[in-house]
Amino acid sequence: MKKKLPSAEKKSSASPWLSVSKLGPVHDAKIAFGDLTVIVGPQATGKSVLLETLKLVIDRDHVHQTFAHHNTIFTTGSDGVTAFLGGYFGKGMGALNTLDTKIEWSGKPKRMAELSKPIKRKNPPAERVFYIPAQRVVSLPKGVTQNFSNFDYGDPYVLRHFSDTVHNLLQNEFGTKAELFPRVGRLNDTLRKPIADHFFGGAKLEIDAREFTKRLILKIPGSDEPLPFLAWSAGQREFIPLLLGLYWLCPAGATQRRESLEWVVIEEPEMGLHPLAISSLLLLVLELMRRDYRVVISTHSPVVLEMVWALKQLQDLNGGEIDVRNLFGLRATTDAKALAAAALKKQYAVYFFDRGKPARDISSLDPGATAEAESEWGGLTGFASRAGDVISRAVNRNESSMMNSVPENETPNALGARYVE
Amino acid sequence: MRLERGMSNSTGTSFSAACAGAGLTANAGLGAMRRSDAAGVAFGVGAARVGSVDVDAHFLSAEPNSNRWDYLIGVKVGGTDAAFWIESHPASSTSDAKVMLKKLNWLKQKIGTAGWAQLKQLTIKAQSHGHAFRWFTTGSIRIRPGSPEALLISGAGLDQPRKRVQIP
């Protein structure tokens, strides 16, 4: 039986929201978070800055505690704020914060100057947001995990801390055991099989401790030599740090969630992945939601929005778990049914970040919406729309020109243009 | 350019003459349309409504089981009449796309007949302004850009379903 969370840790029924304006590339964003919130938009529109700000407002104490644990202390005063921002968001990002910057977390104003200072507490709050950064592949150079101190000041905190967490997972939780995937007790068959099919193609992910360094390798069936990290596909290199993060979030046994964690942020989970692999990965996102994590994803993939659109449509149409299973091609197992049923009970939100404009709620994902930002899913289906429009017009032009110049013996076209005898 | 019998080489083929030639009865303005459908049609700058025909009603008794098209709208653009064809049909399911393609095929067969030669010319005129064949819907749209159904629609020369049709 799964361990239930104490009632004090259960999420409030009111949606939390974050408002950020004039923070670097974030023009003006007010995000009301659902159980799954998806953020889309072109590069350099502030998506990462917003997500990292979310982490900071929730986990400010833990962030400072982590820096201090690794002997990084920021001075007080305005220099300290700039130094902290450079250490947290990345070098050079100290200028993000200006006098016009406004941050509000569920109605409470937050100032960057306050967030940049540690507060001594007897029992600092535990971490609540697990952040899987876009640069996660950097956490595994040559297949070797890295701890916090392997990075430099100015490397984003979310990368350093994610890397450190994965390092601890491999060093401690998996210890001497070589097999990482597939692995008994980690992820049920409903989740494991699509990953095996679409990411590994029969290969096994293992820890190789030869040469006195724990290194991730892929063992290919029929081959004695393992495949080193740099020989993996781009998608495998991007996915495996994500998989390790998910192992952290989905502990073995009956434990529903990892310690105090409530939120999961995943940046661009689709990197390097075929749409079939993305749909397998989305099952893991549904699993996180089934475990009552609140998930936030930034993405450039239409597949992610197609899932959100389909689930919201099924909610409106009183769809059942069988529809969700059909969406993902899942058999009617107990785990699959539970996963599918849970997905239909969740709230979904989608926001579009555009350059120099306020972030826009496009949660309805209505292909017929008047506003292009919504009908074209924040630009993700814009090219497909234009392709359809261009072809439709070309078909019309072609039919028109055929009607106006019909040579002898030409067969009738769709508009019935006929030759004259 | 080869001319078929009944065609005019005048750029001024009128909508009313074209309808008469096809045996269709034109109403003034958008009078042939149901009010709820007419409300979804907007006209661009410089475009003036000339008349409308309820094509579906015209062929109902003769072809009760055919996939009949709904409306013909005559619009004057740049001083000349053009024929736009509007179908009011749900787009709440991908199967609606297949029905629309059948209706479009039915319509194009009609336009290809001898008596419709002038309407054909006015349709060509409409095509020069963009889409002559338009899909209007009031309900949910569940045909997404890039989907197989959307590609079929484009490949047939039909505009994607819209909750508001702007002519031209």
Side-chain angles (χ1 to χ4, degrees):
Chain A
M1 192 168 87
K2 297 276 183 200
K3 175 183 157 188
K4 289 202 177 204
L5 294 165
S7 56
E9 291 178 6
K10 284 191 179 166
K11 287 182 296 199
S12 159
S13 57
S15 294
W17 56 272
L18 175 66
S19 175
V20 177
S21 64
K22 307 256 187 317
L23 179 66
V26 182
H27 178 77
D28 183 16
K30 183 171 178 182
I31 312 295
F33 293 95
D35 296 300
L36 172 63
T37 306
V38 182
I39 292 175
V40 299
Q43 269 79 10
T45 49
K47 300 187 299 297
S48 291
V49 169
L50 182 113
L51 294 177
E52 290 172 70
T53 302
L54 174 70
K55 165 84 177 161
L56 182 59
V57 298
I58 296 176
D59 281 341
R60 167 259 197 99
D61 288 348
H62 186 266
V63 169
H64 282 282
Q65 187 183 43
T66 304
F67 271 125
H69 178 72
H70 293 285
N71 300 317
T72 303
I73 308 290
F74 299 99
T75 59
T76 54
S78 60
D79 286 346
V81 173
T82 304
F84 172 79
L85 293 180
Y88 180 75
F89 287 100
K91 204 168 186 179
M93 301 287 262
L96 279 183
N97 186 50
T98 68
L99 291 172
D100 296 326
T101 299
K102 285 187 172 43
I103 301 171
E104 212 173 315
W105 171 236
S106 288
K108 293 180 185 166
K110 299 283 180 185
R111 292 191 312 122
M112 214 37 108
E114 290 164 13
L115 294 170
S116 302
K117 280 190 307 196
I119 295 179
K120 281 195 177 153
R121 295 186 209 271
K122 195 175 173 186
N123 295 310
E127 187 181 29
R128 290 167 59 202
V129 179
F130 188 79
Y131 199 115
I132 302 178
Q135 316 92 321
R136 55 189 171 271
V137 70
V138 177
S139 66
L140 281 179
K142 297 185 181 178
V144 179
T145 56
Q146 305 292 298
N147 63 30
F148 194 94
S149 299
N150 283 131
F151 294 89
D152 299 323
Y153 165 82
D155 292 330
Y157 171 89
V158 290
L159 170 62
R160 299 177 76 177
H161 183 54
F162 170 76
S163 195
D164 199 60
T165 304
V166 165
H167 181 71
N168 288 334
L169 178 74
L170 254 54
Q171 296 301 322
N172 301 321
E173 207 158 301
F174 288 102
T176 56
K177 295 168 189 167
E179 304 87 19
L180 280 183
F181 186 91
R183 188 180 174 95
V184 173
R186 291 289 190 170
L187 306 179
N188 58 50
D189 205 48
T190 296
L191 303 169
R192 258 204 316 266
K193 189 174 183 315
I195 294 174
D197 289 344
H198 297 304
F199 290 92
F200 293 105
K204 294 182 180 180
L205 180 67
E206 293 187 0
I207 300 173
D208 179 7
R210 294 178 297 174
E211 299 178 5
F212 311 104
T213 303
K214 282 188 181 177
R215 192 184 303 274
L216 294 179
I217 55 168
L218 281 177
K219 280 195 115 169
I220 310 295
S223 172
D224 290 333
E225 280 299 314
L227 208 61
F229 184 76
L230 289 175
W232 300 357
S233 73
Q236 287 169 335
R237 287 200 294 275
E238 294 288 347
F239 174 69
I240 281 161
L242 204 156
L243 174 67
L244 296 175
L246 288 161
Y247 273 176
W248 179 259
L249 290 161
C250 303
T255 309
Q256 178 90 326
R257 299 208 311 244
R258 172 72 62 169
E259 298 162 0
S260 56
L261 291 173
E262 296 172 16
W263 293 72
V264 180
V265 174
I266 310 176
E267 291 192 280
E268 299 180 34
E270 72 276 5
M271 276 197 281
L273 299 182
H274 185 276
L276 284 175
I278 298 173
S279 66
S280 304
L281 186 149
L282 290 174
L283 286 174
L284 298 174
V285 172
L286 295 189
E287 173 66 5
L288 291 174
M289 290 196 288
R290 190 191 67 78
R291 292 174 184 247
D292 284 338
Y293 284 109
R294 201 182 287 273
V295 182
V296 187
I297 291 176
S298 68
T299 188
H300 296 300
S301 169
V303 178
V304 176
L305 291 194
E306 282 161 12
M307 178 193 75
V308 173
W309 176 79
L311 290 172
K312 286 173 71 76
Q313 291 294 312
L314 287 174
Q315 287 174 333
D316 289 343
L317 295 165
N318 296 313
E321 59 84 18
I322 189 173
D323 297 306
V324 180
R325 282 194 291 107
N326 285 338
L327 180 64
F328 286 97
L330 300 176
R331 291 182 301 132
T333 63
T334 306
D335 288 328
K337 286 181 176 182
L339 187 72
L344 289 174
K345 294 181 183 155
K346 301 298 181 180
Q347 282 185 310
Y348 300 91
V350 184
Y351 287 86
F352 169 51
F353 278 57
D354 200 1
R355 212 161 273 121
K357 294 178 189 169
R360 189 188 176 116
D361 184 344
I362 59 168
S363 301
S364 76
L365 296 176
D366 179 7
T370 312
E372 247 179 34
E374 194 167 333
S375 66
E376 294 184 357
W377 292 1
L380 264 59
T381 58
F383 191 83
S385 286
R386 282 192 297 285
D389 190 53
V390 163
I391 296 306
S392 176
R393 288 171 191 269
V395 167
N396 286 336
R397 278 198 320 268
N398 191 51
E399 286 176 346
S400 299
S401 68
M402 283 182 73
M403 282 193 304
N404 276 338
S405 56
V406 179
E408 304 255 3
N409 304 319
E410 181 74 17
T411 53
N413 69 3
L415 273 177
R418 298 189 303 200
Y419 59 86
V420 177
E421 288 185 290
Chain B
M1 179 180 107
R2 278 184 181 275
L3 298 176
E4 290 184 75
R5 190 176 303 163
M7 275 175 62
S8 163
N9 65 349
S10 158
T11 56
T13 304
S14 75
F15 177 72
S16 54
C19 288
L24 300 172
T25 305
N27 290 41
L30 298 182
M33 297 182 79
R34 282 186 293 272
R35 193 172 289 184
S36 55
D37 294 337
V41 181
F43 294 86
V45 174
R49 63 200 82 178
V50 174
S52 56
V53 176
D54 187 342
V55 177
D56 178 45
H58 181 87
F59 285 98
L60 177 59
S61 57
E63 298 186 44
N65 299 318
S66 292
N67 292 292
R68 301 180 303 279
W69 193 269
D70 276 333
Y71 305 115
L72 160 64
I73 310 291
V75 181
K76 195 177 287 292
V77 186
T80 54
D81 288 1
F84 291 86
W85 305 87
I86 298 178
E87 170 66 22
S88 175
H89 192 80
S92 57
S93 157
T94 52
S95 60
D96 290 320
K98 290 178 186 165
V99 173
M100 281 299 293
L101 292 176
K102 287 179 184 173
K103 286 174 176 273
L104 183 62
N105 191 52
W106 177 89
L107 176 63
K108 286 184 175 180
Q109 294 295 325
K110 288 279 186 247
I111 294 174
T113 54
W116 288 48
Q118 292 180 73
L119 276 178
K120 183 172 25 178
Q121 288 306 308
L122 297 188
T123 303
I124 294 171
K125 181 58 69 175
Q127 285 172 332
S128 71
H129 295 296
H131 300 285
F133 305 103
R134 317 297 287 275
W135 181 353
F136 168 71
T137 187
T138 53
S140 303
I141 296 179
R142 296 198 177 100
I143 296 171
R144 296 177 303 97
S147 65
E149 292 73 24
L151 298 181
L152 282 173
I153 290 165
S154 299
L158 176 61
D159 191 24
Q160 300 297 318
R162 299 190 192 278
K163 290 183 182 175
R164 190 165 176 76
V165 170
Q166 167 112 350
I167 294 176

